[in-house]
Amino acid sequence: MSKPKKWVQTILPMHPESHWSVESGCLAFVADHGAIRFDYPETWVVMPGEGGAIDFYDKEPPDGNSVLTVSYITLPPFAVPGFTLAMCMEEAARVDPRPIYEFGPMHEIRRGSMAIVWRQARYIDETEKRDAVSRTCIARKGRIQALLTFEYWADAAECSERAWDIILKTLRLGELVIDVTRGPWRGKHRGRG
């Protein structure tokens, strides 16, 4: 079993000739040279999660209303024919141990060669006895597959759903980034110079 990757968080200023465009009031999250990238609210707190995942909290825990958990894998070079992201989502729903009382519709998005499927579920949190919402997103581009799980209290829906919309809108997979201060590789820049 390989050791988990060491957690390193670095916030860097953008290069004047950057190719990034970041949503207003947000920071860009970039992992492993562009394997996954998206924007998130600049006030959120980022921390290592379980099993190599990264957690994004709207406030310092335990005072927040929402948490986004993000992870990704590189799939093996062979594909299982006919196994779609929608099928992955259905299986995840089938084995979910929470007392879910409502599933929303499946949303499927194509953005170039990237496929995104997400779905909402509602349940009563057993510890807090509060109505909670969980949005699960599976995205795939080439051999990169990402899992995003966003949980929030139902009474904090407006702010949380606005953040979710930004995250989905800006989600990118498998875009090579050599210098994160400049953006995705476009064959025009080398190093930091």
Side-chain angles (χ1 to χ4, degrees):
M1 177 180 257
S2 63
K3 291 170 46 175
K5 294 179 180 179
K6 184 179 177 188
W7 165 249
V8 178
Q9 178 181 4
T10 307
I11 298 176
L12 300 169
M14 288 292 142
H15 189 281
E17 299 173 13
S18 172
H19 301 292
W20 291 126
S21 104
V22 179
E23 292 288 316
S24 177
C26 291
L27 296 174
F29 171 76
V30 182
D32 289 343
H33 302 283
I36 184 169
R37 179 246 193 257
F38 58 86
D39 296 351
Y40 67 95
E42 64 187 352
T43 57
W44 283 15
V45 178
V46 183
M47 304 172 91
E50 294 182 20
I54 305 295
D55 290 335
F56 297 77
Y57 297 90
D58 68 331
K59 295 179 185 169
E60 191 73 39
D63 296 327
N65 291 310
S66 64
V67 60
L68 172 71
T69 300
V70 177
S71 62
Y72 81 93
I73 59 171
T74 303
L75 298 168
F78 55 86
V80 178
F83 195 65
T84 66
L85 292 182
M87 292 168 70
C88 290
M89 188 68 71
E90 288 293 344
E91 180 62 16
R94 190 184 69 73
V95 300
D96 196 315
R98 295 171 298 182
I100 294 172
Y101 67 83
E102 176 185 288
F103 279 106
M106 193 96 62
H107 301 270
E108 297 187 52
I109 303 165
R110 292 249 10 139
R111 193 177 298 141
S113 60
M114 182 171 67
I116 300 170
V117 172
W118 72 272
R119 188 178 204 185
Q120 177 173 295
R122 293 184 72 138
Y123 64 98
I124 302 297
D125 182 86
E126 293 179 339
T127 304
E128 297 286 327
K129 308 295 187 226
R130 286 176 74 182
D131 195 16
V133 178
S134 178
R135 290 184 171 186
T136 302
C137 170
I138 304 171
R140 185 184 299 154
K141 180 180 177 185
R143 292 178 47 205
I144 304 292
Q145 182 167 299
L147 174 65
L148 292 80
T149 305
F150 188 43
E151 297 190 337
Y152 57 91
W153 299 122
D155 56 15
E158 185 178 340
C159 186
S160 297
E161 289 170 3
R162 204 167 33 247
W164 177 256
D165 290 345
I166 289 170
I167 291 161
L168 279 189
K169 174 183 168 186
T170 59
L171 177 64
R172 301 290 183 268
L173 300 178
E175 293 184 354
L176 178 62
V177 175
I178 295 171
D179 179 350
V180 295
T181 68
R182 289 180 179 247
W185 173 249
R186 294 186 177 176
K188 297 177 184 174
H189 60 269
R190 299 220 184 265
R192 292 187 161 280

